[in-house]
Amino acid sequence: METASSMQLPRSLPEAQGISSAVISNFINAVENQNLGLHSFMLLRHGYIVSEGWWSPYEPDLPHMLFSLSKSFTSTAIGFAVTEKLITLDDSVISFFPEDVPDEITENLSKMNIRHLLMMGTGQVTDTMDTLHQSADGNWVKAFFTIPVEKDPGTHFLYNTGATYMLSAILQKVTGQTLLEYLEPRLFTPLGIRGATWGSCPRGINTGGFGLSITTEDIAKFGQLYLQKGIWNHQRLLPEEWIHEATTKQISNGDGDHDWAMGYGYQFWQCQHGAYRGDGAFGQICLVLPDQDTVIAITAGTNSIQGILNEVWEHLLPNMKEAPLQEDQISKANLAEQLKNLSIDPPQLQQSSLLEAQINGKTYTLESNQFLLATLSISFNNHEAEFTLLDELGEQKVIRLGRGQWVESFAHILDPSTNRIMSSFTWSSEDQLQLSLLFVEMPFLITLDLKILENTLILKQRINVNMGPLEFDDIIGRI
């Protein structure tokens, strides 16, 4: 098998690698018809990218928030640390943090080791992240140890993001470096992954279980390294034994014939068809199919990862051939046109309203609300509008909106930092203004509906995907 190169991955026509352009077109049609919310898609076969697409205004060079796909990178860092003999998988978790352990250490807690963190078999029966987030002193390690270990470690699967955080904390304790700093020379530089960012806890430890942002091609490179069993550019980065152990079933995770019950490795999910994956909330996927010598990288804003996988199993998997295929010029041209025109279109309902003049530049004072917003105003010109929010701390957020088209802005709307936002506005009726905010380095699309009354407005907010509610309480504003 060809080994993918260190910077950009090599490109090839799909037919040259045994997949027809028509099959890829069918897959894209299927995910579009199912409204599966893809933002990007990259298909690798035999080490070559054979197809790639971004739903504009998502772009190849923009990083995308990975959520729990970050976990597979944390597992990889542990693989490096084990290889360098800095730790072993049998090291007890409490041994690294004598200053943070509870006064009374239960037998189960004392038995919990690094392997149990990796396989999500800590013995805890509730996810630990809420407790970590709520710790008043910001000491997430100490908070982790307060959660009872009710089961014998290694016997009970619980998807536990706090366990991955503990892997990051152990790594930082042992190396004196953050997870990101540690991975930079070992993984990111060799693979040509540049500009990766990773969120941290209040004490400066990378969150581990979420918080990594990289590009789609970076996800693909990561999958290709695993497919190549740890070799990159003819050099071994990770032992083959580690790759095998991390990506095979270490613990059972339920019953059924779907992709959430095939077993769990070291921060990798087992899949049907001999495949495995790293994945994150809302459709961030790194799917490795060893039998087909294939990697699929996807970013999205969806609540149906299984829906995406089902389309892969139906359209792509059965149509991967061993030998090259003859080129079909019509299918090739159709696919190229389809990929070029992928887009998330801004709503274009009613272009303008007579109320624009009435509300132009007026400031509305907002009633008390969960987002701590104090005032809002909006001003219009021919092709754009400017939406200004002031929060209760006095921070001003200014968002430019295109009239029925996307316009780029930078504002701190969603944590953790300033967001790159593509925004547009339209009128959904004579008295209702609709604003669309697409966060193009995240999976989120926020829609704001402003119902305009005489001296009042009612602001409704909704979001496409979320860990919590998708719709929020109305906010009343008065001039």
Side-chain angles (χ1 to χ4, degrees):
M1 187 192 73
E2 296 274 349
T3 301
S5 72
S6 68
M7 292 306 154
Q8 257 209 331
L9 291 165
R11 267 67 177 171
S12 169
L13 291 172
E15 283 77 10
Q17 308 305 326
I19 308 175
S20 80
S21 296
V23 161
I24 298 168
S25 278
N26 291 342
F27 168 76
I28 291 169
N29 286 333
V31 297
E32 295 254 76
N33 292 340
Q34 300 280 337
N35 292 320
L36 287 169
L38 266 65
H39 296 157
S40 71
F41 155 77
M42 191 173 268
L43 173 62
L44 281 80
R45 186 103 202 272
H46 305 321
Y48 291 93
I49 295 176
V50 297
S51 188
E52 56 192 311
W54 283 261
W55 276 254
S56 170
Y58 285 87
E59 295 174 12
D61 295 338
L62 294 180
H64 200 288
M65 188 181 261
L66 298 193
F67 291 88
S68 287
L69 176 47
S70 309
K71 291 179 168 75
S72 304
F73 288 80
T74 302
S75 162
T76 304
I78 296 298
F80 283 116
V82 168
T83 306
E84 292 168 15
K85 298 190 166 37
L86 300 173
I87 54 174
T88 76
L89 296 192
D90 298 320
D91 291 343
S92 82
V93 177
I94 59 172
S95 68
F96 296 96
F97 307 103
E99 68 284 5
D100 292 319
V101 295
D103 294 337
E104 191 182 332
I105 296 169
T106 63
E107 186 187 356
N108 281 349
L109 176 57
S110 70
K111 288 200 291 195
M112 188 199 298
N113 62 29
I114 291 177
R115 189 188 312 275
H116 300 137
L117 297 175
L118 282 166
M119 65 162 70
M120 298 292 188
T122 60
Q124 291 156 323
V125 297
T126 51
D127 181 65
T128 49
M129 268 329 290
D130 283 350
T131 305
L132 271 55
H133 280 308
Q134 289 158 12
S135 61
D137 61 356
N139 185 338
W140 287 12
V141 169
K142 197 170 189 173
F144 180 85
F145 289 134
T146 66
I147 294 148
V149 183
E150 295 179 31
K151 309 265 188 184
D152 195 15
T155 64
H156 173 75
F157 175 83
L158 170 80
Y159 194 68
N160 183 350
T161 297
T164 320
Y165 169 77
M166 293 299 289
L167 293 170
S168 175
I170 288 168
L171 189 87
Q172 187 158 332
K173 195 72 183 273
V174 169
T175 65
Q177 294 180 295
T178 64
L179 186 55
L180 187 62
E181 288 166 343
Y182 181 75
L183 281 175
E184 194 69 46
R186 292 164 178 82
L187 180 70
F188 295 146
T189 299
L191 269 56
I193 295 174
R194 296 191 181 90
T197 58
W198 208 317
S200 299
C201 77
R203 297 167 79 218
I205 298 166
N206 288 150
T207 46
F210 59 97
L212 178 61
S213 289
I214 54 176
T215 68
T216 310
E217 185 159 349
D218 296 336
I219 297 168
K221 290 172 178 178
F222 179 71
Q224 190 64 30
L225 172 69
Y226 270 77
L227 182 64
Q228 291 169 186
K229 298 184 165 60
I231 289 178
W232 193 263
N233 238 14
H234 311 293
Q235 286 190 309
R236 179 159 293 288
L237 302 187
L238 274 168
E240 186 170 339
E241 304 76 59
W242 175 265
I243 299 281
H244 176 74
E245 204 175 319
T247 60
T248 48
K249 179 177 171 179
Q250 297 294 336
I251 192 168
S252 293
N253 65 340
D255 300 312
D257 56 358
H258 53 85
D259 290 291
W260 302 94
M262 297 281 136
Y264 195 75
Y266 294 159
Q267 314 278 298
F268 285 91
W269 297 90
Q270 303 299 292
C271 299
Q272 302 172 73
H273 311 293
Y276 60 86
R277 72 187 190 277
D279 77 31
F282 317 126
Q284 325 320 314
I285 303 171
C286 180
L287 177 63
V288 181
L289 298 93
D291 295 347
Q292 288 74 28
D293 197 20
T294 292
V295 173
I296 298 171
I298 284 171
T299 61
T302 182
N303 282 315
S304 182
I305 289 176
Q306 186 65 61
I308 295 173
L309 294 173
N310 289 347
E311 300 307 335
V312 171
W313 307 147
E314 183 176 341
H315 294 283
L316 299 177
L317 179 79
N319 294 302
M320 296 183 187
K321 308 303 181 193
E322 281 306 304
L325 306 175
Q326 201 165 355
E327 270 182 50
D328 172 349
Q329 293 303 327
I330 294 173
S331 296
K332 182 177 151 188
N334 287 346
L335 177 60
E337 186 69 11
Q338 186 179 25
L339 292 169
K340 194 175 79 182
N341 291 315
L342 295 174
S343 67
I344 299 166
D345 297 325
Q348 295 176 326
L349 301 168
Q350 184 176 317
Q351 191 155 27
S352 62
S353 159
L354 295 172
L355 290 180
E356 278 186 28
Q358 180 187 316
I359 65 171
N360 191 30
K362 298 275 196 318
T363 297
Y364 289 84
T365 301
L366 303 176
E367 289 182 357
S368 176
N369 60 83
Q370 70 181 98
F371 300 104
L372 306 179
L373 298 173
T375 68
L376 73 77
S377 65
I378 187 159
S379 53
F380 301 89
N381 63 29
N382 290 340
H383 303 297
E384 287 189 20
E386 195 168 85
F387 183 57
T388 303
L389 291 166
L390 189 70
D391 67 22
E392 291 176 5
L393 299 172
E395 185 186 351
Q396 192 179 63
K397 309 154 196 286
V398 180
I399 300 167
R400 291 169 55 223
L401 307 126
R403 192 183 291 273
Q405 59 189 18
W406 297 120
V407 171
E408 187 174 63
S409 293
F410 293 87
H412 182 197
I413 304 294
L414 299 177
D415 285 335
S417 58
T418 300
N419 312 120
R420 185 190 294 263
I421 313 169
M422 301 299 284
S423 309
S424 72
F425 75 97
T426 188
W427 289 85
S428 49
S429 65
E430 190 60 31
D431 63 353
Q432 186 151 305
L433 178 64
Q434 186 177 100
L435 316 181
S436 300
L437 279 55
L438 186 64
F439 293 75
V440 286
E441 296 179 351
M442 296 173 154
F444 303 117
L445 169 64
I446 293 178
T447 303
L448 307 176
D449 288 301
L450 282 70
K451 179 88 168 171
I452 312 297
L453 307 169
E454 197 168 340
N455 288 309
T456 313
L457 63 74
I458 302 168
L459 171 64
K460 292 179 182 289
Q461 301 184 71
R462 61 185 194 272
I463 191 165
N464 60 332
V465 290
N466 193 21
M467 299 290 186
L470 297 178
E471 296 190 12
F472 303 95
D473 294 341
D474 292 358
I475 301 174
I476 309 295
R478 293 186 172 79
I479 290 178

